[in-house]
Amino acid sequence: WMRVDGERIVHEERLATLDDFPSLMTRSDDEEVEELLWEEEEVLHVEKAYWPREMNSMDFRGAGGSMCVGKAYTICDTVPLAKKEGYESNVLERHEGPFSEMRSELGLQSDSMRFRVKLDYALLDEDEESAVATAPPPLHLRTLTICRETLDGYWPNPADNEGTDDDDAEATESSVRRKNQKAITETLFGPPGAPGGLYDPPPVGNEERATENYMLLNFEGGATVLLPHRLDQNTDNDSLGWVTSLDWTPGKVRYQVDRKVLGGTKLKGLKTLELSEVQGEDADTWRPRDGGANMRQ
């Protein structure tokens, strides 16, 4: 575990068991469920870490790709394409690419809820065998994981919590009572997409670069995510770098966090982690009209 200002940014993740879903144990079924079975691919997916095994204060200086700002945070971990001499002891060498894998996470936490986006990048199989550090191939998005969480110890979806104490085997209604359950359901599982799209679309380059490298996705809970599905790492002259954006409104306040990193082999390093906050009902009034610009430093 690691805490910054009392907030967890490194998460312990494991595969669920029947003990985690009491509702599955209380419902009648033709076939008794003794355990949850997982495919090997799912096991490997959960075992992947999105943060370094060891972290120190220097990892939050930008080069390591981890940072916190307000209610937003990001973490990152990479696997080098080829380990250089002094890789383990030299902080700058450890964060310098090119990479064969890169995993990053971007999250927002507010109103006792958290929305996390986990991105797992890797070389294509055909590129991995012939890859060389002098001409590194691009990283491609391998998996995308969305985590919707409540911080009160219960599952966000009431149907996944404990069933009633009723003797009726058909009773499946949760015995957990939240005063704000309706708000939680709407916030995490409501209509997909942020109202009007991203509040403040960041610059991503020309149309060709946007088409070949980026995708814009809408998710349940009124969230929109902009992300690069292909990360070129064969040039250090890419002044634009790369950006991942999350727009989400967990309460009265609408948030947009932009994870902006460097280009080329330095793509692990953060340029900025930018957080915008605006009253949700006033978002259209104050929406930026600059056509996409970086925050002034």
Side-chain angles (χ1 to χ4, degrees), residues 21-291:
F21 290 96
S23 58
L24 292 179
M25 304 173 68
T26 58
R27 296 174 183 174
S28 64
D29 222 333
D30 295 336
E31 182 179 350
E32 183 177 353
V33 179
E34 296 183 355
E35 63 177 329
L36 295 179
L37 301 178
W38 299 98
E39 299 290 340
E40 181 181 2
E41 183 178 348
E42 296 168 323
V43 175
L44 294 175
H45 179 63
V46 171
E47 288 178 348
K48 292 174 182 174
Y50 283 70
W51 60 90
R53 184 178 298 274
E54 295 183 4
M55 299 181 75
N56 56 49
S57 58
M58 292 299 295
D59 288 316
F60 292 87
R61 298 296 178 90
S66 299
M67 194 169 288
C68 296
V69 56
K71 297 182 182 295
Y73 76 93
T74 185
I75 52 179
C76 182
D77 193 25
T78 53
V79 176
L81 183 59
K83 288 189 178 181
K84 304 174 184 177
E85 185 177 350
Y87 170 82
E88 297 294 343
S89 57
N90 189 309
V91 174
L92 294 179
E93 289 287 349
R94 193 166 68 246
H95 298 322
E96 178 86 16
F99 305 108
S100 61
E101 296 183 17
M102 185 174 83
R103 290 179 287 276
S104 62
E105 182 175 318
L106 187 64
L108 282 166
Q109 178 174 314
S110 182
D111 292 60
S112 298
M113 291 174 281
R114 185 164 55 202
F115 196 103
R116 296 191 282 141
V117 182
K118 300 164 68 71
L119 303 172
D120 179 14
Y121 296 91
L123 300 179
L124 296 178
D125 291 340
E126 55 266 31
D127 290 337
E128 191 168 5
E129 297 179 359
S130 59
V132 293
T134 54
L139 294 169
H140 293 265
L141 185 65
R142 179 164 54 185
T143 63
L144 163 66
T145 306
I146 300 296
C147 303
R148 299 174 178 86
E149 301 163 314
T150 44
L151 307 182
D152 57 5
Y154 297 105
W155 293 103
N157 188 342
D160 292 328
N161 294 306
E162 285 197 49
T164 63
D165 296 328
D166 199 309
D167 293 334
D168 184 358
E170 296 295 328
T172 59
E173 184 180 354
S174 173
S175 60
V176 176
R177 293 289 182 266
R178 287 187 178 115
K179 293 182 179 179
N180 62 337
Q181 182 59 62
K182 182 178 180 181
I184 289 174
T185 301
E186 291 177 352
T187 301
L188 294 176
F189 305 103
L198 282 179
Y199 171 70
D200 185 11
V204 296
N206 57 34
E207 184 176 352
E208 180 182 0
R209 190 175 190 268
T211 302
E212 293 185 354
N213 295 83
Y214 280 89
M215 62 173 65
L216 186 68
L217 302 174
N218 293 323
F219 295 99
E220 289 184 350
T224 292
V225 176
L226 172 72
L227 61 96
H229 60 82
R230 168 189 164 123
L231 295 167
D232 297 317
Q233 51 179 349
N234 59 355
T235 173
D236 289 317
N237 297 322
D238 189 349
S239 59
L240 278 174
W242 306 100
V243 58
T244 303
S245 301
L246 167 62
D247 184 329
W248 183 50
T249 309
K252 293 182 179 180
V253 178
R254 179 170 176 173
Y255 300 95
Q256 180 178 318
V257 57
D258 298 320
R259 182 182 194 273
K260 296 180 178 180
V261 300
L262 302 169
T265 58
K266 301 181 184 296
L267 76 170
K268 183 180 181 180
L270 280 171
K271 286 197 293 188
T272 58
L273 182 65
E274 302 174 2
L275 179 64
S276 301
E277 302 182 23
V278 63
Q279 290 289 324
E281 59 184 18
D282 298 331
D284 282 338
T285 301
W286 300 108
R287 186 185 294 274
R289 312 292 180 185
D290 54 17

